[in-house]
Amino acid sequence: MTTVLLVEDDPAISEPLARAFGREGYAVRVHGTGKGALEEVAGADIIVLDLGLPDMDGLDVARQVRSRGLTTPILMLTARSEATDLVVGLDAGADDYVTKPFRLAELLARVRAQVRRASGEATEDELTAGQVRVDVAAHRAFVGSRELQLTTREFELLRVLVRGAGAVVRNEDILKEVWGEDPTGTQQTLQMHVTWLRRKLGDDVDAPAILLAEGAGYRLA
Ligand code: CA
């Protein structure tokens, strides 16, 4: 059984969420403090982590989880949608984030994606473009033999670009496929994710050679 560790101090959020996770068939452990949560992280399959906790910063919870060598997926719940805050969160070890207020269906989809990725459940085949290889089934991506640590969105973005490698994939098509109905899927968000993805691909952000902006879209060279 998949165990979700829900770290959230606001019962108005944690109670309905815990019920929803239960309906999804997950075992749920709820903690309102970072310290309490850290005592139970080892048994969790995924951690849904609020950043604003009463005893410590959620980012420090993420850092401590990673410093213990745990690769458990971490989904941040954040009220901060600023790009820099998200970068800090992802650097702290989070795999993905949902900005409050979020839609329940979206959060559940993100949790499912992370659980699937972590368990390596099969979904599709493998895609390659030059040095870049996307193992869709295992939800893993590589440049040569180096594995990329990607968030769910970055992975989806790379998958779409590798699939269309050599051609321009139009912004609207990327947004539709990677963000779907999510209102945070804007031109600006896409640009931000492309920047992060370039960095992880080892591409020069200022003079990109791998991922080219083509005005109307992006092309993986
Ligand atoms: Ca909070």
Side-chain angles (χ1 to χ4, degrees):
M1 198 176 198
T2 303
T3 300
V4 179
L5 180 62
L6 175 57
V7 193
E8 166 67 67
D9 60 308
D10 183 354
I13 293 174
S14 68
E15 283 169 11
L17 254 189
R19 280 196 298 274
F21 287 140
R23 282 196 299 273
E24 290 276 305
Y26 302 132
V28 194
R29 300 240 186 284
V30 184
H31 279 281
T33 65
K35 285 201 176 70
L38 281 168
E39 285 170 18
E40 277 202 64
V41 285
D45 295 300
I46 179 163
I47 303 166
V48 177
L49 178 65
D50 178 31
L51 291 192
L53 297 168
D55 61 332
M56 59 192 286
D57 192 322
L59 292 173
D60 288 326
V61 175
R63 287 190 190 98
Q64 287 201 33
V65 169
R66 292 295 176 250
S67 72
R68 293 179 190 185
L70 295 168
T71 57
T72 320
I74 298 176
L75 180 75
M76 294 189 290
L77 300 180
T78 175
R80 317 164 190 173
S81 60
E82 301 294 320
T84 47
D85 286 329
L86 296 176
V87 171
V88 170
L90 298 170
D91 281 348
D95 296 280
D96 200 1
Y97 62 89
V98 171
T99 308
K100 291 178 183 177
F102 52 83
R103 288 184 312 120
L104 185 59
E106 195 213 332
L107 184 127
L108 292 174
R110 300 284 189 90
V111 167
R112 271 196 298 272
Q114 289 296 334
V115 168
R116 195 168 57 227
R117 187 179 65 85
S119 68
E121 188 183 303
T123 46
E124 279 180 54
D125 294 317
E126 191 169 276
L127 303 165
T128 57
Q131 289 286 299
V132 184
R133 183 164 63 87
V134 178
D135 187 344
V136 181
H139 231 87
R140 297 170 75 182
F142 303 81
V143 173
S145 58
R146 178 172 65 92
E147 181 165 7
L148 303 172
Q149 299 302 320
L150 302 178
T151 64
T152 304
R153 295 278 199 213
E154 288 165 357
F155 180 87
E156 287 302 309
L157 176 58
L158 184 63
R159 183 180 63 78
V160 170
L161 291 169
V162 168
R163 198 184 54 203
V168 176
V169 185
R170 293 174 347 136
N171 291 331
E172 55 209 39
D173 292 336
I174 299 174
L175 286 169
K176 203 162 119 196
E177 185 149 355
V178 179
W179 277 269
E181 301 295 313
D182 186 341
T184 67
T186 63
Q187 190 61 40
Q188 202 184 1
T189 314
L190 172 58
Q191 230 169 52
M192 201 162 81
H193 279 75
V194 165
T195 303
W196 294 339
L197 188 56
R198 267 190 190 131
R199 219 170 272 159
K200 292 184 178 179
L201 286 169
D203 208 356
D204 186 337
V205 178
D206 296 315
I210 302 175
L211 197 45
L212 306 168
E214 300 273 2
Y218 291 93
R219 179 164 63 90
L220 193 75

Coordinates of all heavy atoms in Angstrom, one line a residue, residues 7-10 13 32 50-54 77 100, ligand 1:
V7 N 2.2 16.7 5.4 CA 2.7 17.6 6.4 C 2.1 19.0 6.2 O 2.5 19.7 5.2 CB 4.3 17.7 6.3 CG1 4.8 18.4 7.5 CG2 4.9 16.4 6.1
E8 N 1.1 19.2 7.0 CA 0.3 20.5 6.8 C -0.3 20.8 8.1 O -1.0 20.0 8.7 CB -0.8 20.2 5.7 CG -1.9 21.2 5.6 CD -1.4 22.6 5.1 OE1 -1.0 22.7 4.0 OE2 -1.4 23.5 5.9
D9 N -0.2 22.1 8.5 CA -0.7 22.4 9.9 C -2.1 23.0 9.8 O -2.7 23.2 10.9 CB 0.3 23.5 10.5 CG 0.4 24.7 9.6 OD1 0.7 24.6 8.4 OD2 0.2 25.8 10.2
D10 N -2.6 23.3 8.6 CA -4.0 23.8 8.5 C -5.0 22.7 8.3 O -5.0 22.1 7.3 CB -4.0 24.8 7.4 CG -5.3 25.5 7.2 OD1 -6.3 25.1 8.0 OD2 -5.5 26.4 6.4
I13 N -7.1 22.3 5.3 CA -6.5 21.8 4.1 C -6.2 20.3 4.3 O -6.5 19.5 3.5 CB -5.2 22.5 3.7 CG1 -5.6 24.0 3.3 CG2 -4.5 21.8 2.6 CD1 -4.4 24.9 3.1
G32 N 1.2 18.0 11.6 CA 1.1 19.4 11.6 C 2.4 20.2 11.8 O 2.5 21.4 11.8
D50 N 3.7 21.1 3.2 CA 3.4 22.5 3.2 C 4.7 23.3 3.6 O 5.5 22.8 4.4 CB 2.4 22.7 4.3 CG 2.0 24.2 4.5 OD1 2.1 24.9 3.5 OD2 1.7 24.6 5.6
L51 N 4.9 24.4 3.0 CA 6.2 25.2 3.3 C 6.1 26.0 4.5 O 7.0 26.2 5.2 CB 6.6 26.1 2.1 CG 7.0 25.4 0.8 CD1 7.7 26.4 -0.1 CD2 8.0 24.2 1.1
G52 N 4.8 26.4 4.9 CA 4.7 27.3 6.1 C 4.2 26.5 7.3 O 3.0 26.3 7.5
L53 N 5.2 25.9 8.0 CA 4.8 25.1 9.2 C 5.1 25.9 10.4 O 6.0 26.8 10.4 CB 5.7 23.8 9.1 CG 5.4 22.9 8.0 CD1 6.4 21.8 7.9 CD2 4.0 22.3 8.1
P54 N 4.5 25.6 11.6 CA 4.6 26.4 12.8 C 6.0 26.2 13.4 O 6.5 27.2 14.0 CB 3.6 25.8 13.7 CG 3.2 24.5 13.2 CD 3.4 24.5 11.7
L77 N 3.6 22.1 -1.2 CA 2.4 23.0 -1.2 C 2.8 24.4 -0.9 O 3.4 24.6 0.2 CB 1.3 22.5 -0.2 CG 0.8 21.1 -0.2 CD1 -0.2 20.8 0.9 CD2 0.1 20.9 -1.6
K100 N -1.0 27.1 -3.7 CA -2.3 27.3 -3.1 C -2.9 28.6 -3.6 O -2.2 29.5 -3.8 CB -2.1 27.4 -1.6 CG -1.7 26.1 -0.8 CD -1.5 26.5 0.6 CE -1.0 25.3 1.4 NZ -0.8 25.6 2.8
Ligands
CA1 CA 0.8 26.2 6.8

